[in-house]
Amino acid sequence: LFIMSDSPPEKDIQWSEEGMESSYKFIQKLWSLHQIIIKKIKLNEKSNNDESLNKFTNLLIKKITQSLESFRYNVIIANFYEMYNFLNKELENPISKDCLIENYNSLLNLLNPFVPHLSSECLSQISKYKAVQENWPLVKKEFLINEKVNLVVQINGKKREILVVKKDTNKQNIINMVNENKKLNNFIKGKKIIKEVFIPNKIINLIIK
């Protein structure tokens, strides 16, 4: 875990005992989280609001699959830290038993190439409550339809706002949102937009005069 979290594969590893200790502590955190999840499963809660966990899991599957294909192992480990923080908060809310097991099953399979002993033990324990699959999870695209992205708005090259928009929103709709945004309107009111530099899902830079 430490080796993969340290640096991209094309760079030399910067060995450190601190890095090893950090990886060890993270595995302990994952194990503690697992105990919380087992307790949550036993509660057999009822919930009609499992969407956030479904969306997060499928987006994570997509991110990690893409990073594996490009050998970005250190990015994947960062994604697992993100996963841990998300689950810590999400477990405070009611989650239906089947949804929790299904998503946790997928997350453990994502972990498996990186911490196989931990992952296998956790899968073995949750299999007592429902049959689990031990294979690489596939993205369920229906949970990514309304995926949101943070889009940076620049005016003459200076960042002025970050808009939360649906993924793949087109340029004209972004410009309409800019025109309706009171904060941005202060910068463009009475000015003429002479150029628009648009990178989908990332940034729009409006050159005004």
Side-chain angles (χ1 to χ4, degrees), residues 140-157:
K140 295 180 180 177
K141 293 183 179 179
E142 64 268 25
F143 292 116
L144 301 183
I145 292 174
N146 295 319
E147 184 183 338
K148 300 287 183 70
V149 295
N150 293 329
L151 187 130
V152 175
V153 180
Q154 292 184 342
I155 307 293
N156 289 343

Side-chain angles (χ1 to χ4, degrees), residues 3-186:
I3 289 172
M4 287 183 287
S5 66
D6 179 70
S7 57
E10 68 272 11
K11 294 186 178 180
D12 292 335
I13 296 167
Q14 300 297 316
W15 187 264
S16 72
E17 289 188 9
E18 292 80 5
M20 283 290 294
E21 289 174 4
S22 177
S23 293
Y24 170 78
K25 288 177 181 177
F26 182 57
I27 290 174
Q28 295 304 309
K29 286 182 177 181
L30 290 176
W31 180 245
S32 297
L33 183 70
H34 172 73
Q35 305 304 320
I36 295 171
I37 290 174
I38 291 294
K39 291 179 181 178
K40 192 87 167 171
I41 290 171
K42 289 179 180 179
L43 288 175
N44 196 16
E45 295 175 321
K46 306 297 180 185
S47 173
N48 295 319
N49 190 27
D50 296 328
E51 187 177 4
S52 61
L53 180 56
N54 286 323
K55 282 186 175 181
F56 179 85
T57 299
N58 282 276
L59 182 57
L60 193 68
I61 294 169
K62 180 181 177 182
K63 285 181 183 177
I64 290 179
T65 301
Q66 290 175 340
S67 292
L68 267 178
E69 291 169 353
S70 55
F71 306 103
R72 299 168 67 201
Y73 302 131
N74 58 319
V75 174
I76 293 172
I77 305 305
N79 290 149
F80 287 140
Y81 277 87
E82 178 188 352
M83 175 198 77
Y84 170 80
N85 292 330
F86 172 84
L87 288 176
N88 250 341
K89 293 181 180 178
E90 190 68 15
L91 289 169
E92 295 174 1
N93 305 317
I95 306 173
S96 64
K97 177 182 174 180
D98 286 345
C99 174
L100 180 56
I101 293 176
E102 181 182 350
N103 283 281
Y104 188 44
N105 185 175
S106 295
L107 295 173
L108 288 173
N109 280 307
L110 293 177
L111 279 165
N112 196 51
F114 305 90
V115 280
H117 296 87
L118 174 72
S119 173
S120 296
E121 178 65 22
C122 293
L123 282 166
S124 174
Q125 290 195 13
I126 66 168
S127 67
K128 298 172 185 176
Y129 305 97
K130 187 179 180 181
V132 297
Q133 294 182 336
E134 297 189 37
N135 48 36
W136 193 255
L138 300 176
V139 174
K140 295 180 180 177
K141 293 183 179 179
E142 64 268 25
F143 292 116
L144 301 183
I145 292 174
N146 295 319
E147 184 183 338
K148 300 287 183 70
V149 295
N150 293 329
L151 187 130
V152 175
V153 180
Q154 292 184 342
I155 307 293
N156 289 343
K158 292 184 178 181
K159 185 171 80 171
R160 298 299 187 184
E161 181 68 294
I162 296 177
L163 300 177
V164 180
V165 301
K166 287 184 179 180
K167 188 177 181 182
D168 298 327
T169 301
N170 63 40
K171 183 173 73 171
Q172 188 54 54
N173 285 336
I174 296 294
I175 291 174
N176 292 341
M177 293 172 70
V178 169
N179 290 329
E180 293 169 2
N181 185 291
K182 291 182 180 180
K183 179 181 176 181
L184 292 170
N185 206 251
N186 291 330

